[in-house]
Amino acid sequence: MMQPTTFEIASYAQYPSHHQAQSLSLAQQSLQLAWSDGHQSEFHYLWLRDNCPCSECVSTLTREQLFEICDVPLDLQPQQAQLQDGYLTILWEDGHRSRYHPGWLRAHCYAEAMRATRQWQAQSWDRDSIREALPEFDYAEVMEDDRALLDWLRLLRDWGISLLRQVDTTPGTLLKVANRISFIRETNFGTVFDVQAKPDANTAAYTNLRLPLHTDLPTRELQPGLQFLHCLANDAEGGESILVDGFRIAEHMREHYPDEFAALSSLPMEFHNKDRHSDYRFSAPALQLNRAGQVVEVRLANFLRGPLDLPADQVLRHYRAYRTFIALTREPVFQFFYRLSPGDLLVFDNRRVLHARRAFDLRQGRRHLQGCYVDRDELLSRIRVLERQG
Amino acid sequence: MMQPTTFEIASYAQYPSHHQAQSLSLAQQSLQLAWSDGHQSEFHYLWLRDNCPCSECVSTLTREQLFEICDVPLDLQPQQAQLQDGYLTILWEDGHRSRYHPGWLRAHCYAEAMRATRQWQAQSWDRDSIREALPEFDYAEVMEDDRALLDWLRLLRDWGISLLRQVDTTPGTLLKVANRISFIRETNFGTVFDVQAKPDANTAAYTNLRLPLHTDLPTRELQPGLQFLHCLANDAEGGESILVDGFRIAEHMREHYPDEFAALSSLPMEFHNKDRHSDYRFSAPALQLNRAGQVVEVRLANFLRGPLDLPADQVLRHYRAYRTFIALTREPVFQFFYRLSPGDLLVFDNRRVLHARRAFDLRQGRRHLQGCYVDRDELLSRIRVLERQG
C-alpha cells in the first residue's frame, strides 16, 4: 500500500502537464522516460529517491525534506517502476514507494535542451533602445493590481530599469512601493536615505557635486540589488540623472577589447568606504561572470576604490582595462539621460545599471530624493509567488 | 609650491613607519623604493598618481576620490621624484604634485612577499581542539570595554565560534550585543527570530524535530554572516546543540577525497525555501573557494535543497561528494556538543560553522532561544575601526 501522500509536489508552484510520459526503460543507474512530444528524459535513481514528495520524506507542515539521501545506499535500485495514470511510480528495493507528478518531472528534466530553456537572459540596452522601451508604470496600478505588479517586476528583472509615475511625494512613500516586493535591505547608510546636499556629507552622494557613473556600495560583499530613487523636489539647476547598462558595455568590451574584458572579469579591485564610525572594504573583479560566462554583475565606483593590490605584472593591465570601461561609460551612445520630476520613482538594478548625476546649483531651488534598496532575492521570490497564481 | 594637503593619508587608519625609505630609482613605468630593512617595493606611476592624497584629488569632506585616473595619460611620467624627510614626493609632467607617507606606502606595497603577509588565515578546529580553545567572554565586559570587544571579534573572525556568558535573559538582549558590532541583517525570517516549537512552523527550526547539521539560509545569495543564538530557557529534555567547523571538514575532504572536494566546490547545488508568501531559490556550490583556492564559505542544509539541476553525467558524481561531506559531519571527531544554558549566547560564523540540534521533548520543560544575524562586512568594519585606536 502507498503511504499517505499529502502533496503530489513538495513546492507550492504548479506544473501543468503539457506532455504525457509514454514509456519507461530502466538502466543500471537511471531510468529513461519518453514523452508524447518525442523528448527523452533521463532520471537517476538517486535523484528520484532524493525528490520523493511523500509525507514520510517531506514534512507536511513545513514542506521541507525530512529524508536524508545519505541514509540509502549509493547504488539504490528500484524493485519496480511503472507509469500509472500518467504518474511515475517506483517501489524501491527497501520497500519505500514514491510517486512523481508528470508536470513536475518534465519541468525538472536535466537534459541539456531543457536546462538551456531555463536560462535567464537579460535584455540589454543603450541610449536609443531604452528611450523607446523604458518600462513605465503607474504608481496606483502597481499598488493595487497584482497583475500590474508582476508585469512591472518581470520587466525590471529583464531590463534592469523602470520608472513609476505619479507617485505620491509624501516622504516615505517609496517604502510602500518597495514593500509591495518585500522588506528593505538595510546598509551602512540606513534603510531610507535622503539624497540632499548636507553640510556633514560622509559620501559624495550627499554633496552637490557631479557623481561619475557608479554602482552603489561596491564596498559591500553583496551590493544592494534594486535601487529606488524617488524624487520629492527638483528645481535646482543641473542634477540630471544619467544611467548606462553595465551589461551592454561589458558585452561591447568582450567583443572589441577582449584582454581588457578578461582583466576586468578576473583581476580583483579594492573597494573602500570609510568614515569616522565604519571602515568597509571588499575586493572583487568589476565584472562578475556566471558559470556560463555571462556577465551577471558590475561593481564599480571610481570614488570608492582603495589602493589596487595586484601582482606587479598585472597593475598596468588592470589600469588599461579599467580606463577602457570608464571611457565607454562616457560614450553618449550608452547614456540614458533623465531629469527626475517630483512624483517620479526610478527603480533599477544597482548591480547592473551604473548611475550618475550632474552637479547641481542650489541657488535656483531645491533637490531632494529619497532612496532605498531591495535585494534580488526578494525580487525573484516575489515574481515566483505571483506566478503561482498562474 | 605644494598645494594645501589636508591629509597625509586618505583613510582614517594609522600607518606607523617601522622602516625608512632610503633610496629611489626610476624606470619606464614604475619606480623602485629601497627600504632600511632591505625590502624593495615597486610602485607604478599610474598607481601612485591614482593614490595621491592631496585635497585636489581627495575630498576633504568625505575623503572620497574626486580625481579620475581616466583623465591622465596611460603613460604618465614623473618630471621629478625624490625622498624628502622620509616622504616620497613627485612632481608630475602635468604640474601636479603628490606626496606619500612612508608608512602608508610600505603597508600597500604589492610585492608578493608583502601581499602574502596580508592574507587572512582561518583557525580551523575539531572536537578536541575547540573544547580547549573555545573563545569565551563575559557579557558585561564585552558591553563596556572596547578592548574586550576587539579581542572577542578577532577570535570570532578567526575561529568562527565564540560563547558569551552571563548574558541578561531579558528577551531582545541579543540585539544589544549585536549592536556592539553594528546593525542587524534582516532576512525573510525577520530581524530577531524566536526558536521555539510553533504550531504553524514554516521551517524545521520552529518544530521540536532533530535538525541535521546545516548553515542557515543557504537559499539566499548572501548567507547571513554571524549567527547569534541566545538561550532564554532550556529545561526541555534533549535539544543539545552540535557544531562542526565546515572549513576543517572541507580540508579533510580535499586531502582524502580530492574528486569529491572538487565536485562540491564546483558543481552548483539548488537551495529552495518556500512558504505561502515567499519562494527563495539560490544555486551555488556547497564549498566556495577564493582565488587562492582556500575554502571561504560552506553552504549546506539537507532540508533546504531543491531538485539538483546538473548535466546528467555529473549527477552521481555530485551525490557521491555530497554524501561524503554529510557522512563526515556525522563523525564524532568533528562534533562539538554543547547544551545551551539560560544566559549563554553562542555566536558563530554561519557561512562556515554548521549547526544542528537534537530533537527535544517539551513535556519536561521549555526551550526558547532568540536569534539574529550580523553580516561579515559589519564584523570586519568594526574590527578595523577598533584597530584604528591602536
Side-chain angles (χ1 to χ4, degrees):
Chain A
M1 226 198 75
M2 207 64 188
Q3 58 270 78
T5 302
T6 313
F7 308 121
E8 293 202 323
I9 293 166
S11 86
Y12 291 86
Q14 286 174 34
Y15 296 98
S17 302
H18 297 300
H19 310 287
Q20 275 70 56
Q22 286 190 320
S23 69
L24 193 61
S25 64
L26 307 191
Q28 188 55 34
Q29 300 175 318
S30 61
L31 56 78
Q32 197 95 16
L33 264 189
W35 298 87
S36 49
D37 64 343
H39 178 72
Q40 300 264 343
S41 296
E42 178 185 14
F43 295 110
H44 289 81
Y45 299 133
L46 222 51
W47 187 95
L48 286 165
R49 182 65 191 84
D50 198 15
N51 286 292
C52 175
C54 87
S55 63
E56 238 176 65
C57 293
V58 174
S59 159
T60 54
L61 184 61
T62 64
R63 301 206 184 194
E64 290 172 355
Q65 195 179 36
L66 300 168
F67 168 74
E68 290 192 68
I69 193 66
C70 245
D71 294 327
V72 297
L74 187 62
D75 59 354
L76 180 74
Q77 296 287 321
Q79 192 177 308
Q80 203 181 67
Q82 53 192 322
L83 292 172
Q84 270 183 341
D85 308 325
Y87 285 68
L88 170 66
T89 64
I90 297 181
L91 169 63
W92 299 100
E93 57 186 359
D94 60 6
H96 191 83
R97 283 177 192 272
S98 303
R99 185 166 181 265
Y100 304 90
H101 183 280
W104 181 90
L105 273 177
R106 176 68 181 241
H108 293 89
C109 167
Y110 44 91
E112 280 312 306
M114 294 296 293
R115 297 184 73 227
T117 63
R118 295 195 287 265
Q119 280 304 307
W120 173 73
Q121 289 290 343
Q123 188 74 49
S124 84
W125 50 264
D126 58 17
R127 176 193 56 195
D128 294 336
S129 55
I130 200 64
R131 270 190 198 153
E132 280 182 28
L134 178 71
E136 293 189 40
F137 284 83
D138 180 70
Y139 164 65
E141 247 187 295
V142 159
M143 292 304 290
E144 286 152 27
D145 178 1
D146 276 1
R147 186 71 226 179
L149 178 64
L150 179 57
D151 289 344
W152 170 45
L153 298 183
R154 282 173 162 163
L155 287 169
L156 180 53
R157 173 193 64 194
D158 297 343
W159 288 82
I161 187 169
S162 69
L163 183 67
L164 299 197
R165 297 223 187 246
Q166 278 144 349
V167 180
D168 182 353
T169 54
T170 312
T173 301
L174 84 168
L175 292 180
K176 291 192 200 168
V177 181
N179 287 334
R180 281 290 276 160
I181 305 177
S182 187
F183 64 89
I184 308 302
R185 164 80 184 276
E186 183 170 356
T187 73
N188 43 309
F189 291 94
T191 46
V192 178
F193 47 92
D194 285 275
V195 186
Q196 278 174 303
K198 302 176 193 180
D200 60 339
N202 62 350
T203 189
Y206 303 153
T207 66
N208 66 346
L209 298 172
R210 163 185 174 267
L211 277 180
L213 283 154
H214 66 284
T215 58
D216 272 14
L217 294 175
T219 49
R220 297 192 65 90
E221 179 167 0
L222 182 69
Q223 296 187 106
L226 298 178
Q227 175 159 182
F228 288 65
L229 277 181
H230 181 204
C231 180
L232 304 182
N234 192 11
D235 41 26
E237 186 149 325
E240 291 83 2
S241 300
I242 309 170
L243 299 113
V244 302
D245 182 358
F247 287 2
R248 171 64 66 95
I249 291 176
E251 289 312 324
H252 182 93
M253 268 186 92
R254 192 202 297 260
E255 194 181 332
H256 298 283
Y257 306 94
D259 185 66
E260 283 80 355
F261 177 83
L264 273 198
S265 56
S266 63
L267 302 176
M269 294 173 62
E270 306 303 313
F271 296 98
H272 287 197
N273 185 358
K274 69 272 173 188
D275 69 16
R276 282 173 199 81
H277 309 292
S278 66
D279 196 333
Y280 287 93
R281 302 184 194 174
F282 195 68
S283 174
L287 304 179
Q288 193 194 316
L289 311 185
N290 66 10
R291 283 173 291 270
Q294 291 173 304
V295 179
V296 290
E297 177 157 23
V298 179
R299 184 185 288 269
L300 214 76
N302 185 74
F303 50 97
L304 295 175
R305 289 177 309 125
L308 200 64
D309 189 15
L310 289 176
D313 62 358
Q314 297 298 314
V315 170
L316 289 181
R317 181 170 177 244
H318 161 78
Y319 276 117
R320 204 175 293 120
Y322 178 68
R323 291 160 53 101
T324 301
F325 190 95
I326 296 292
L328 287 170
T329 66
R330 294 176 175 183
E331 290 284 342
V333 65
F334 294 118
Q335 293 190 333
F336 174 57
F337 263 75
Y338 189 76
R339 186 181 165 81
L340 286 163
S341 302
D344 284 350
L345 172 56
L346 195 59
V347 187
F348 56 91
D349 183 343
N350 178 62
R351 300 167 66 186
R352 162 181 179 179
V353 172
L354 291 85
H355 62 294
R357 154 191 97 200
R358 292 184 157 171
F360 56 91
D361 182 345
L362 288 172
R363 285 170 304 186
Q364 271 72 41
R366 241 159 44 90
R367 186 177 193 274
H368 184 190
L369 309 184
Q370 284 195 314
C372 73
Y373 306 114
V374 170
D375 273 332
R376 275 190 192 167
D377 282 340
E378 275 58 57
L379 171 68
L380 299 177
S381 166
R382 189 69 167 122
I383 289 175
R384 286 184 203 108
V385 170
L386 289 166
E387 284 176 344
R388 282 182 195 164
Q389 299 163 11
Chain B
M1 225 198 77
M2 214 55 194
Q3 59 270 74
T5 302
T6 314
F7 308 121
E8 292 203 323
I9 293 167
S11 85
Y12 290 86
Q14 285 174 34
Y15 296 97
S17 303
H18 297 300
H19 309 288
Q20 275 70 53
Q22 285 190 319
S23 69
L24 193 63
S25 65
L26 308 191
Q28 188 55 33
Q29 301 175 317
S30 61
L31 57 77
Q32 198 95 15
L33 264 189
W35 299 86
S36 49
D37 64 343
H39 179 71
Q40 300 263 342
S41 297
E42 179 186 12
F43 294 109
H44 289 81
Y45 298 133
L46 222 52
W47 187 96
L48 286 166
R49 182 66 191 84
D50 199 15
N51 286 292
C52 174
C54 87
S55 62
E56 237 176 65
C57 293
V58 174
S59 159
T60 52
L61 185 60
T62 64
R63 300 205 185 195
E64 291 171 355
Q65 196 180 35
L66 301 168
F67 168 74
E68 290 191 68
I69 193 66
C70 246
D71 294 329
V72 296
L74 186 62
D75 59 355
L76 181 74
Q77 296 288 321
Q79 194 178 304
Q80 203 180 69
Q82 52 191 322
L83 293 172
Q84 272 182 339
D85 307 326
Y87 285 68
L88 170 65
T89 64
I90 297 182
L91 169 63
W92 299 99
E93 55 186 2
D94 61 6
H96 190 82
R97 282 176 192 272
S98 303
R99 185 164 180 268
Y100 304 91
H101 182 280
W104 181 90
L105 273 178
R106 177 68 181 242
H108 293 87
C109 167
Y110 44 92
E112 280 312 307
M114 292 297 291
R115 297 184 73 226
T117 63
R118 295 195 288 264
Q119 280 304 308
W120 174 73
Q121 289 290 342
Q123 188 74 50
S124 84
W125 49 265
D126 59 17
R127 176 193 56 196
D128 294 336
S129 54
I130 200 63
R131 270 190 198 153
E132 280 184 28
L134 179 70
E136 294 190 39
F137 285 83
D138 179 70
Y139 164 67
E141 245 187 295
V142 159
M143 292 304 290
E144 286 152 26
D145 177 1
D146 277 0
R147 187 70 225 180
L149 178 64
L150 178 58
D151 289 344
W152 170 44
L153 298 183
R154 280 173 165 163
L155 287 169
L156 180 52
R157 174 193 63 192
D158 297 343
W159 288 83
I161 186 168
S162 68
L163 183 66
L164 299 197
R165 298 226 188 242
Q166 279 143 350
V167 180
D168 181 354
T169 55
T170 311
T173 301
L174 84 167
L175 292 181
K176 291 193 202 166
V177 181
N179 287 335
R180 280 290 276 161
I181 305 178
S182 187
F183 64 91
I184 308 302
R185 164 81 184 275
E186 183 170 356
T187 74
N188 43 308
F189 290 94
T191 46
V192 177
F193 46 93
D194 285 276
V195 186
Q196 279 175 300
K198 304 176 191 178
D200 60 340
N202 62 350
T203 190
Y206 304 153
T207 67
N208 66 345
L209 298 172
R210 162 185 173 267
L211 276 180
L213 282 154
H214 66 284
T215 58
D216 271 15
L217 295 176
T219 51
R220 297 193 64 91
E221 178 166 1
L222 182 69
Q223 294 187 108
L226 298 179
Q227 175 158 179
F228 288 66
L229 278 180
H230 181 203
C231 181
L232 304 182
N234 192 13
D235 41 26
E237 186 147 326
E240 291 83 3
S241 300
I242 309 169
L243 299 112
V244 304
D245 183 358
F247 288 2
R248 171 64 66 97
I249 291 177
E251 290 311 325
H252 183 93
M253 269 187 92
R254 192 203 296 261
E255 194 181 333
H256 298 283
Y257 307 93
D259 185 65
E260 284 79 355
F261 177 83
L264 273 199
S265 55
S266 63
L267 302 177
M269 294 174 62
E270 307 302 314
F271 295 97
H272 288 196
N273 185 358
K274 68 271 174 189
D275 68 16
R276 283 171 198 83
H277 309 292
S278 65
D279 196 333
Y280 288 93
R281 301 183 194 175
F282 196 69
S283 173
L287 305 179
Q288 194 195 316
L289 311 185
N290 66 10
R291 283 173 291 270
Q294 290 173 303
V295 179
V296 289
E297 176 156 25
V298 179
R299 184 185 288 269
L300 214 75
N302 185 74
F303 50 97
L304 295 175
R305 289 177 311 126
L308 201 63
D309 189 17
L310 288 177
D313 62 0
Q314 298 298 315
V315 169
L316 289 182
R317 180 170 178 244
H318 161 78
Y319 276 116
R320 202 173 298 118
Y322 178 68
R323 290 159 53 101
T324 302
F325 190 95
I326 296 292
L328 287 170
T329 65
R330 293 176 176 184
E331 291 285 344
V333 64
F334 294 118
Q335 293 190 334
F336 173 57
F337 262 74
Y338 189 75
R339 187 181 164 84
L340 286 162
S341 302
D344 284 350
L345 171 57
L346 195 60
V347 187
F348 56 91
D349 184 343
N350 178 62
R351 301 167 65 185
R352 161 181 180 179
V353 172
L354 291 84
H355 63 293
R357 151 193 98 200
R358 291 184 158 173
F360 55 91
D361 183 344
L362 288 173
R363 286 169 304 187
Q364 271 71 41
R366 244 159 41 90
R367 187 178 193 272
H368 184 190
L369 310 185
Q370 285 195 313
C372 71
Y373 306 114
V374 171
D375 273 332
R376 275 191 192 168
D377 283 341
E378 274 58 56
L379 171 67
L380 299 178
S381 167
R382 190 69 168 122
I383 289 175
R384 284 184 204 109
V385 170
L386 289 166
E387 284 176 345
R388 282 183 195 163
Q389 297 162 13

